Each structure stands twice: as structure tokens, then as C-alpha cells.
Amino acid sequence: MKSILVTGGCGFIGSHTCLSLLEKGYYLFVVDSCVNSSDQVLRKLKNLSIINFKLKYLKGDLRDISFLRRVFEEAKKCNKPISSVIHFAGLKSISESIRYPLEYWDNNVIGSINLFKIMEEFSCRTIVFSSSACIYGLTNQTFINEECEVKPTNPYGQTKVTIEKILKDLFVNSLSEWKILCLRYFNPVGAHHSGEIGEDPIGVPNNLFPYISQVAIKRRKELDVFGSDWKTIDGTGVRDYIHIMDLAEAHLAALEYLFDKKKNFLVLNIGTGIGTSVLELVKIFEKTNNCKIPYKLKMRRTGDVGSVIADNKKALAILNWSPKRNLEDICKDGWNWQKNNPYGFQK
Ligand code: NAD
Ligand code: UDP
């Protein structure tokens, strides 16, 4: 079975994807600095995949190029050369990126350049990259397809566009054959159904779903609903929420799609194509989990947009994949994780 390098494998999306890859029998090398995660998650992965736990964790930062070289050398030495990479590692907070732009350019872009250099050095040229729907910026279109203009409104989004551009340059200009898939995620939420792994934001959650979960577990008093005057069904913001395990499975499909290809560069939206407002999500969470989520209507959040929904037709047509879980599954599984782990991995 092939060996895959998963950068950022201790994070939210990375850890759930590792589980899907392990279940399929892949051998994994996980690299993470744990700047925004805990390696305790690997213990949970081990418990969940007793039979197929073929994973080597190497703690380190992508900005350390000699560390990266050692990872690829070690894989080669133990006769498990890295065939391909799923590249999750990066900082991901929009507001933080506005406050600390240099940190974001340095971490996300320099880290990625180092990774691509070492991949080239070891003739490993197959990569799935974590991009984001936030690169589309403000748009009037209800459903966003991959042809929509890319004009991010913040440094985080700019770093994602830049990395996509670097990958495109590699594809177009390298003498060797790169196989590249950039996945533009919409809103990944929920948790693995076991309740063993899930999202564990550090500090006050920026995102809606973990905030709702923390209100439900009474770590937070009430939810602030940012904006009730958008042109949406009930005035609150609409997003395309995708179950984290559907997203994990999209990575498996993306990787296996690339294995069969020659030179390739592709950008795909990964979402459900279904829009849900803040108040709709609150209601489904309450009904599914038989709980109350107190909330207050507040002013719009700076930089927010009213509605962001994926046109996911391209991904459905190209990958042998489609999202299988609905909002009830998202709320049930997300709550199961939060209930079992009120303070995440640490406590
Ligand atoms: P996360 O913070 O949980 O995971 C990212 C992981 O990368 C963390 O474990 C972090 O410690 C690690 N990391 C960061 N910089 C590193 C570096 N220089 N070297 C080594 N490790 C490093 O985030 P996530 O939600 O799992 O997101 C994964 C990827 O998907 C990110 O690139 C993010 O930008 C992108 N993305 C996330 C969302 C979302 O809503 N979660 C949406 C769109 C895109
Ligand atoms: N939101 C909210 N309260 C919160 C966090 C988010 O009302 O505490 C709203 C936000 O304004 C947006 C939606 O929930 O309309 C999704 O926000 P999130 O930050 O989760 O995703 P993003 O805006 O990055 O797509």
C-alpha cells in the first residue's frame, strides 16, 4: 500500500482524513507542529483503527526545510517512500490573519514552498491541497462555481490563492509531471460518529458550529448571531455546512483520482450545494439534541457576507464521491463529541 504524507494531520480536517486513509490501509507519515492542535488526537486515532494503525508521527514545522528533508529520507530508509501528499498544514483564522499578516504569509506560503521543494527533490509530485471558499470574496452569485472570480478580502485568503498559483506554475512550467488537486472547502463541521475525535478550537471559537456546541455544553452563555438583516430566508447568514467525514472521504477520492492520472491540475469546490441560515442551524441542533441554545441578534460581523453556497457539480462529476450525511447527522455527531469531551483533547 502507498505511503502518504499528511501535513497538519493532528488538526480538525487532517485527523478525520487520517482515519479514512487508515481504514483504507494506507501507511501515513503525519507532520504537524501542533501550533493549533494536540497530538493527543493520534492516541484516539490508534484506538479507532486498531487493525490498520500504520502511522508515523513526526513533530515539526514546514518552515524547517531540513526537518522536511529528514521526513522524506526516513520514509525512504524504512522502505516506505512517500508517494503523495495531502497538505492541510496552515494557519486558518481570517481575523488573526488581518492582525498578523506576516505570520500568515510566513507560515502558510513559506511552509508550502519548502514542502514543494522537498517533494521535487524526492520526485514526489502528487498533491491534494486544502484551499478555501473564502478566496471567492464578495459575490452576488447564489451558487459559487470554480469559474467565479477569485478576490479574497483578507490575508488568509490571499495566502491560499498564492499557494494555488504556485502549484499552477509548477504544473505548467516544471519539466516533470505534477499531479495537483486544490480542494476549496466550504464549511466543514461535525465530528466522527464515535465521538472520539472532533473540532477542538483553542480559545473562543470564531466559527458558528463549535460556538453553538459550547453554548450547548454551557461553556458559553449564549450565541451572538451576527446580522439579521441579510437578504436571506430569515435575515441571518447562510452557509454550506459539510459533515467532516464527507470532507475526509472527498480527500480519499481526490487522492485516488490523481493516482490514475498523468500530469494534472484541477480546482474543485467541496460542499453540499445546500444553504442553511444561522437560525435554521440553531433550530436543527436544538431539535436533534433536545437542548436549548439561547441567542441574541447582534450587528453584522466585519467582513462577513450574506450567503455562500457551493456549486459542487464539478466535484460530483469528477470524483467518485458525494456528501452522504445531512444536518441532523452533523448536529448529532458534533454534539456527541462535545458531550464526551467538553474541553476537547486536553482535559
Ligand atoms: P487546524 O488548525 O485544525 O489544522 C491545521 C494543522 O496544521 C494544525 O494541526 C496545525 O498545528 C498545523 N500547522 C499549521 N502550520 C504548520 C506548520 N507551519 N508546520 C506544521 N504544522 C502546521 O485546521 P483545519 O480546520 O483542520 O484546516 C486544515 C486546512 O484546511 C487548513 O489549511 C485550512 O486553512 C483549510 N481550510 C479549513 C477550513 C475550515 O473551516 N476548517 C475551511 C477551508 C479551508
Ligand atoms: N456566526 C454567528 N455567530 C458566531 C459565529 C458565526 O452568527 O458566533 C455566523 C456568521 O456571521 C456567518 C455564519 O455564522 O453568517 C457562519 O460563520 P462561520 O464563521 O462559521 O463561517 P464563515 O463565515 O467563515 O463561512
Side-chain angles (χ1 to χ4, degrees):
M1 209 48 166
K2 286 187 162 70
S3 303
I4 319 287
L5 170 63
V6 183
T7 76
C10 296
F12 174 44
I13 309 173
S15 57
H16 288 78
T17 303
C18 280
L19 194 54
S20 290
L21 293 165
L22 288 167
E23 278 167 2
K24 254 307 196 60
Y26 288 107
Y27 192 99
L28 305 186
F29 289 89
V30 167
V31 162
D32 204 304
S33 63
C34 286
V35 61
N36 195 41
S37 56
S38 160
D39 52 19
Q40 290 301 313
V41 70
L42 300 174
R43 198 169 40 83
K44 300 289 192 103
L45 288 182
K46 191 169 184 183
N47 294 340
L48 286 169
S49 47
I50 308 163
I51 305 166
N52 279 329
F53 193 73
K54 295 181 284 183
L55 183 152
K56 183 154 183 58
Y57 168 53
L58 298 119
K59 185 168 184 169
D61 196 304
L62 297 191
R63 287 168 296 180
D64 179 353
I65 196 161
S66 37
F67 159 71
L68 271 181
R69 188 173 288 113
R70 281 199 303 279
V71 172
F72 276 76
E73 271 164 1
E74 189 165 329
K76 228 170 133 181
K77 237 187 264 163
C78 61
N79 215 15
K80 297 195 166 19
I82 293 165
S83 72
S84 37
V85 176
I86 306 187
H87 178 28
F88 293 105
L91 301 175
K92 65 165 180 178
S93 158
I94 290 177
S95 52
E96 199 180 61
S97 80
I98 295 166
R99 280 186 70 188
Y100 307 107
L102 283 177
E103 187 56 27
Y104 270 67
W105 282 100
D106 183 51
N107 190 81
N108 292 3
V109 178
I110 304 296
S112 297
I113 291 174
N114 281 348
L115 175 67
F116 307 154
K117 277 185 182 165
I118 294 296
M119 286 177 70
E120 185 76 87
E121 200 173 305
F122 283 80
S123 302
C124 166
R125 299 188 184 89
T126 302
I127 184 165
V128 177
F129 168 60
S130 298
S131 189
S132 167
C134 89
I135 69 174
Y136 293 114
L138 297 166
T139 163
N140 292 324
Q141 270 168 274
T142 312
F143 294 96
I144 301 174
N145 67 33
E146 292 82 354
E147 307 314 315
C148 283
E149 194 187 350
V150 159
K151 43 175 183 179
T153 55
N154 52 73
Y156 164 68
Q158 297 280 11
T159 67
K160 291 290 177 193
V161 173
T162 304
I163 298 163
E164 281 195 11
K165 280 187 178 152
I166 295 170
L167 286 168
K168 184 77 186 276
D169 280 348
L170 273 175
F171 166 73
V172 173
N173 298 319
S174 169
L175 294 177
S176 340
E177 297 203 333
W178 277 78
K179 302 198 272 185
I180 299 163
L181 236 170
C182 299
L183 301 182
R184 294 177 179 166
Y185 316 146
F186 281 65
N187 292 63
V189 285
H192 186 255
H193 64 82
S194 63
E196 289 292 310
I197 58 171
E199 188 169 11
D200 182 17
I202 294 174
V204 183
N206 284 310
N207 299 112
L208 180 63
F209 193 84
Y211 206 104
I212 292 177
S213 305
Q214 292 195 8
V215 172
I217 200 81
K218 298 193 167 36
R219 272 177 72 179
R220 320 246 159 233
K221 203 167 123 250
E222 63 191 5
L223 170 72
D224 288 341
V225 176
F226 299 137
S228 52
D229 55 352
W230 297 105
K231 280 192 194 147
T232 58
I233 179 168
D234 54 20
T236 65
V238 165
R239 294 292 184 276
D240 182 333
Y241 297 99
I242 179 166
H243 194 293
I244 185 67
M245 290 313 296
D246 280 326
L247 181 59
E249 287 161 13
H251 287 84
L252 204 63
L255 198 65
E256 292 180 347
Y257 167 86
L258 287 179
F259 288 158
D260 295 339
K261 293 284 165 304
K262 289 209 152 148
K263 199 174 157 104
N264 204 280
F265 179 89
L266 201 58
V267 169
L268 294 177
N269 284 343
I270 304 292
T272 62
I274 300 166
T276 307
S277 76
V278 174
L279 292 184
E280 283 177 325
L281 187 61
V282 167
K283 285 206 183 74
I284 296 169
F285 194 99
E286 289 182 332
K287 190 162 173 237
T288 309
N289 297 318
N290 195 22
C291 65
K292 206 77 208 124
I293 307 294
Y295 67 83
K296 270 210 185 98
L297 300 179
K298 291 279 172 92
M299 303 282 282
R300 291 181 179 186
R301 186 171 64 173
T302 318
D304 250 355
V305 289
S307 176
V308 187
I309 310 170
D311 174 339
N312 63 1
K313 286 192 208 77
K314 197 171 164 193
L316 299 193
I318 288 178
L319 301 178
N320 186 18
W321 167 88
S322 62
K324 297 196 171 46
R325 295 150 182 100
N326 61 22
L327 282 168
E328 280 78 16
D329 298 321
I330 286 174
C331 292
K332 179 163 65 72
D333 296 340
W335 176 231
N336 192 27
W337 152 253
Q338 188 71 74
K339 207 170 46 184
N340 291 339
N341 307 271
Y343 289 89
F345 290 109
Q346 297 299 345
K347 294 184 192 126

